[in-house]
Amino acid sequence: MFNKSKSPAKPSSVPSIPPLPDMPQAPQTPQQAQAPSAQPRQPVAQPQASGRNLSTLSADLQFEGNVSGAGDLQVDGQIRGDVKVGRLIVGETGAIEGGVNADYVEVRGRIVGAVSGKQVKLISTAYVDGDITAEQLSIDIGAYFQGRCIQGSRGAAPAQAAAPRPSPQPAVVPQAPQPVPSADAPQRIDMSSN
């Protein structure tokens, strides 16, 4: 009824993954070397968070001046100046003294200055001394934050005050007439406003 094959079954659901270019290739078993691939090998896409490469300022570097660009930046060193990038990660050894403006900001280190972004995350090792303007803010237990938190978009102008309404007129209370001072009496001048 059933016909059993004497050859070992090949796992067809496990795709073969090509080795990384800088890693030595693992030795193949004789069965793997002889087995023809059922499907042509497709290049494996490397996942990236935003499709851009991450630039890094390493822990032993100090930078004085403003940093700007549309790319991603990880700061493990120190920056004295404003930072305006697409995505910013401040590592545990990283420190920024200046304003920060990015779509995504993740702080594990220290920032002294205003932070502005769409999404701001303060990890438990973060130290932020400055105002934060964000659409989404996440603060882990243990993170230090000193400043004001403003929820809203980065580019939005401050909300305009409503059109001024006419203030109600205060009730006028008639005052008693003041006596006329004599020429010999000292004069008193009342400087209070009514």
Side-chain angles (χ1 to χ4, degrees), residues 1-192:
M1 208 156 122
F2 293 104
N3 189 5
K4 287 189 175 179
S5 164
K6 293 190 180 189
S7 64
K10 296 177 188 170
S12 62
S13 64
V14 179
S16 65
I17 299 173
L20 295 173
D22 59 346
M23 300 296 290
Q25 202 167 9
Q28 294 182 347
T29 64
Q31 293 172 348
Q32 289 174 335
Q34 294 175 357
S37 176
Q39 299 175 351
R41 289 190 177 189
Q42 303 268 336
V44 178
Q46 298 294 328
Q48 289 185 352
S50 63
R52 300 181 287 235
N53 292 330
L54 179 70
S55 299
T56 303
L57 182 73
S58 66
D60 57 345
L61 294 177
Q62 295 180 358
F63 184 84
E64 291 193 26
N66 297 337
V67 177
S68 64
D72 301 344
L73 176 64
Q74 177 164 343
V75 177
D76 291 325
Q78 296 180 2
I79 295 178
R80 289 180 190 243
D82 295 340
V83 177
K84 183 176 182 179
V85 293
R87 268 176 63 102
L88 176 69
I89 298 172
V90 180
E92 289 186 18
T93 60
I96 297 176
E97 290 183 30
V100 170
N101 189 339
D103 288 337
Y104 173 83
V105 179
E106 182 177 302
V107 183
R108 296 177 184 276
R110 179 182 177 98
I111 294 179
V112 177
V115 177
S116 178
K118 288 182 181 177
Q119 189 175 29
V120 177
K121 290 184 178 183
L122 304 184
I123 308 302
S124 63
T125 57
Y127 178 97
V128 176
D129 188 358
D131 296 345
I132 296 177
T133 302
E135 292 178 23
Q136 297 177 351
L137 175 63
S138 169
I139 302 176
D140 287 354
I141 295 174
Y144 176 84
F145 169 56
Q146 174 71 35
R148 293 182 304 159
C149 175
I150 303 161
Q151 184 177 11
S153 62
R154 296 178 303 146
Q160 297 279 335
R165 289 184 265 165
S167 60
Q169 296 294 328
V172 177
V173 179
Q175 295 181 349
Q178 299 287 331
V180 179
S182 66
D184 296 339
Q187 291 186 2
R188 192 169 90 181
I189 300 174
D190 185 18
M191 297 298 285
S192 65

